[in-house]
């Protein structure tokens, strides 16, 4: 295949469209969450991921799992956790069975903020998808996102 191969060109165009859709969604959500709740999209995502943890075996996520879920490096995730902890939205404590392990939980204040921010996030997502569906290049991707049935 050459750089001008139609298959590569189509693949590159598809990737550009997907990247554009992601950027539009992320930008809309970021602006809405910042304006309404003083949260970044990453902070919201982290609170959301951590709020889904539970007590008992396998209930708490390791920092690598959290980093993977919010699509950040482990060091960036640790910095993000620290910022939210400084705001009183998260708390960290040592694992009872492995003193090297550190758990992170969402505080009541964090859960309250997350509950307040969730409708804003969902509304911004819907608005971004609706706007993108008017673009013929993005409409098929919007339909694909809307049809996904992914377990969280």
């Amino acid at each position: 295949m050459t750089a001008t191969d139609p298959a590569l060109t189509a693949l590159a165009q598809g990737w550009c469209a997907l990247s554009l859709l992601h950027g539009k969604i992320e930008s809309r959500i970021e602006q809405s969450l910042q304006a309404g709740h003083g949260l970044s999209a990453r902070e919201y995502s982290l609170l959301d991921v951590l709020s889904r943890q539970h007590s008992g075996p396998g209930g708490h996520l390791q920092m690598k799992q959290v980093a993977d879920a919010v699509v950040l490096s482990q060091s960036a995730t640790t910095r993000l956790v620290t910022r939210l902890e400084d705001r009183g939205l998260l708390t960290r404590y040592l694992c009872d069975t492995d003193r090297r392990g550190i758990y992170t939980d969402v505080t009541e204040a964090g859960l309250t903020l997350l509950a307040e921010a969730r409708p804003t996030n969902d509304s911004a997502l819907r608005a971004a998808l609706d706007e993108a569906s008017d673009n013929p290049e993005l409409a098929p991707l919007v339909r694909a996102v809307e049809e996904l049935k992914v377990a969280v």
Side-chain angles (χ1 to χ4, degrees):
M1 284 201 241
T2 66
T4 57
D5 185 300
L8 286 177
T9 301
L11 187 61
Q13 289 173 334
W15 168 243
C16 286
L18 182 58
S19 182
L20 178 62
L21 178 61
H22 177 267
K24 287 180 174 294
I25 292 169
E26 189 171 51
S27 177
R28 175 70 67 101
I29 289 173
E30 183 79 28
Q31 290 172 355
S32 297
L33 288 173
Q34 281 289 352
H37 309 282
L39 278 176
S40 71
R42 297 274 188 201
E43 290 168 336
Y44 174 87
S45 180
L46 180 67
L47 288 172
D48 184 52
V49 166
L50 291 175
S51 75
R52 297 173 194 277
Q53 298 182 120
H54 59 84
S55 296
H60 281 82
L61 300 173
Q62 297 173 348
M63 195 56 73
K64 180 177 180 351
Q65 293 170 303
V66 174
D68 289 346
V70 296
V71 193
L72 289 173
S73 67
Q74 282 186 262
S75 61
T77 301
T78 299
R79 288 190 300 274
L80 184 58
V81 165
T82 299
R83 282 198 310 272
L84 292 176
E85 184 179 34
D86 290 346
R87 290 175 58 187
L89 303 174
L90 297 178
T91 185
R92 285 188 261 199
Y93 60 94
L94 291 175
C95 171
D96 290 337
T97 58
D98 179 0
R99 289 301 198 188
R100 295 170 297 169
I102 298 175
Y103 288 155
T104 304
D105 279 335
V106 182
T107 63
E108 285 302 316
L111 291 172
T112 298
L113 182 57
L114 179 62
E116 292 169 356
R118 185 165 274 120
T120 301
N121 180 80
D122 295 349
S123 176
L125 173 60
R126 181 74 265 160
L129 289 171
D130 288 346
E131 182 181 305
S133 68
D134 292 335
N135 180 329
E137 292 176 356
L138 300 180
L141 294 172
V142 171
R143 283 192 300 276
V145 168
E146 291 172 337
E147 292 171 4
L148 285 175
K149 303 291 186 237
V150 180
V152 179

